[in-house]
Amino acid sequence: MFHTGDIVDERDQGYQWENADAAYRMLDEARLPYGMLAGNHDVGNFEDDYGSYGRYFGEARYASNPWYAESYEDNRGHVDLFTAGGIDFVVVSMSWEPGDAEIAWMNEALARHPERVGIINLHEYLLTTGGLGPVPQRVQDEVVATNPNVSMVMSGHYHDAYTRFDSFDDDGDGVDDRTVTQMLFDYQGLPEGGLGYLRLLQFDNEGAQMRVRTYSPSLQDYDAEDASLPAEDQDFVVSYETLGIEPRDKELVGDGFRAEVLTGAVIEAGAALDGTQIGAVRSAASGAVVSVDWAPGAGTHGWYVTATDAFGGEVRSEVRSVALEEGEGTGGEPGDGQGGGEDGDADGGAGPDPQVGDSLPRTGAEPWGLGLAVLLLLAGAAAILLSRRARRS
């Protein structure tokens, strides 16, 4: 998801930042990839005050995400990398009024990923007439025109929609080699700050085209009806040829692999290993540490934990393994951290995996305030359960 700036209307109104923070926290919790930048309203126009923007939407908020590749001055600019449908993208976002240093950084960021389809995301670029102001013109001349991997530019700031195509001669032979699709999309001029309209980019590999649509989830409506928003700038198609996109089948080459096959059985404590129980804890209290006993015998064994709440939210830990030698006891000597639960016991005694407690998905209520409750697909009610998995290598 791309954001083109003006997160708030008045940068010195704390409640507006709090409201925005809460709204985008939902995207964080859903782990939906998205990128932010600051508009003129976020920084006080030419005052360039990035203090509140940095506190709420700075680098620290995004640094741990796998798509977030690079930051410029605490997320004033940033690079996002993602791959979809065999297409590798690089998104370079830059906030309001880029100057010499920002333009240099954008060029360096694009040059580091020449094999990826480049998208530049800005606050101000296209005018409502399709023209370019002084700073946007410089961005086009010094960034868009000079980087052969740039395919698209997106912007907001001006309350309208417009689409413009420009072609560039990348190799200097007098023949255009590349067309850049430039899109203005900003519906703030509509009631209620835009009536919820979003721009959707749908990539159709089979049809070799990108479908651009305008949709409001709150209204469940396509294309806003307003005299300033022509239909041809709300719903249109751009070919992959124009975009310079060539989807590729990818091949991963290696000299071996390991596959972990999770079993669905929840099993009786102490039973045999052929379909058998490690253990289950029902109605675990919020914040409680729980454990079960397991004596699987000699060999290497794998297990995982599934935690569920009363509203159907479920999270599963990574697969852990424990290796026991013949004659080794099942007492409480701590292992290497791979085989057990809270203390890593080699006997497979298990408390909640640390990743389980931290990442139980939200399902309409605070799950830890309610405690863990009921869900076991095969055998009845259980909140935390340990299951054996088959291992192939």
Side-chain angles (χ1 to χ4, degrees):
M1 183 178 128
F2 307 89
H3 193 288
T4 57
D6 285 350
I7 304 165
V8 299
D9 185 47
E10 300 166 293
R11 69 170 176 83
D12 58 352
Q13 298 299 309
Y15 78 93
Q16 295 186 14
W17 289 103
E18 292 292 336
N19 289 344
D21 176 52
Y24 284 95
R25 191 68 60 187
M26 291 188 284
L27 301 185
D28 297 331
E29 291 168 354
R31 299 182 181 179
L32 176 69
Y34 72 99
M36 303 290 283
L37 56 83
N40 59 305
H41 285 263
D42 304 318
V43 300
N45 291 300
F46 297 103
E47 295 179 19
D48 283 347
D49 180 1
Y50 282 83
S52 294
Y53 173 79
R55 282 193 296 275
Y56 286 94
F57 295 98
E59 178 182 357
R61 184 169 187 150
Y62 303 100
S64 63
N65 292 315
W67 66 83
Y68 191 81
E70 189 176 345
S71 171
Y72 173 81
E73 293 193 358
D74 199 19
N75 206 41
R76 179 173 179 171
H78 60 91
V79 175
D80 299 319
L81 303 177
F82 66 97
T83 297
I87 308 168
D88 297 324
F89 293 94
V90 53
V91 181
V92 176
S93 296
M94 180 53 67
S95 295
W96 164 250
E97 289 289 288
D100 292 348
E102 290 73 35
I103 286 175
W105 179 84
M106 293 169 70
N107 282 322
E108 292 166 2
L110 288 163
R112 278 190 282 273
H113 305 281
E115 77 289 353
R116 289 178 172 264
V117 176
I119 301 174
I120 297 176
N121 192 36
L122 303 168
H123 180 59
E124 178 192 10
Y125 187 70
L126 284 186
L127 297 168
T128 59
T129 60
L132 298 172
V135 174
Q137 185 65 62
R138 187 180 174 198
V139 171
Q140 187 186 76
D141 294 341
E142 299 182 25
V143 182
V144 177
T146 61
N147 290 278
N149 57 335
V150 173
S151 173
M152 288 179 272
V153 182
M154 295 185 291
S155 64
H157 187 57
Y158 299 107
H159 301 179
D160 209 338
Y162 199 93
T163 309
R164 167 175 165 169
F165 300 89
D166 286 300
S167 297
F168 300 92
D169 175 12
D170 292 325
D171 57 14
D173 64 356
V175 179
D176 288 336
D177 302 294
R178 171 175 54 105
T179 299
V180 177
T181 303
Q182 299 147 108
M183 294 177 283
L184 165 65
F185 177 81
D186 188 329
Y187 282 21
Q188 291 182 74
L190 296 179
E192 300 179 20
L195 293 176
Y197 280 100
L198 306 172
R199 171 146 291 189
L200 306 179
L201 307 180
Q202 300 170 317
F203 291 84
D204 176 8
N205 284 358
E206 185 174 336
Q209 64 183 17
M210 177 183 74
R211 174 80 179 275
V212 180
R213 308 188 76 184
T214 303
Y215 179 69
S216 170
S218 58
L219 299 179
Q220 297 186 2
D221 176 66
Y222 285 97
D223 300 341
E225 295 183 6
D226 189 275
S228 67
L229 300 168
E232 61 268 23
D233 288 317
Q234 298 196 74
D235 190 335
F236 57 96
V237 170
V238 184
S239 71
Y240 276 12
E241 181 180 6
T242 297
L243 294 167
I245 288 178
E246 296 181 12
R248 299 188 303 272
D249 292 330
K250 298 193 174 183
E251 183 178 293
L252 179 64
V253 178
D255 58 5
F257 76 97
R258 168 176 165 164
E260 295 173 338
V261 181
L262 304 181
T263 68
V266 183
I267 39 193
E268 303 292 336
L273 294 178
D274 56 350
T276 68
Q277 170 162 334
I278 298 173
V281 178
R282 297 174 176 83
S283 300
S286 176
V289 175
V290 298
S291 65
V292 297
D293 295 323
W294 184 34
T300 299
H301 309 280
W303 57 271
Y304 64 97
V305 177
T306 300
T308 65
D309 69 9
F311 296 91
E314 179 176 304
V315 67
R316 179 178 295 150
S317 75
E318 63 182 283
V319 173
R320 302 293 182 89
S321 63
V322 58
L324 297 176
E325 297 181 359
E326 192 68 42
E328 188 172 358
T330 59
E333 292 298 322
D336 60 1
Q338 295 293 319
E342 188 67 17
D343 295 324
D345 294 17
D347 66 356
D353 185 278
Q355 295 186 12
V356 173
D358 293 340
S359 59
L360 189 67
R362 294 181 182 272
T363 56
E366 293 291 339
W368 294 119
L370 297 168
L372 296 177
V374 282
L375 181 64
L376 178 56
L377 296 178
L378 297 181
I384 300 180
L385 56 103
L386 276 66
S387 299
R388 178 175 173 267
R389 55 93 174 147
R391 183 169 176 240
R392 301 284 185 270
S393 58

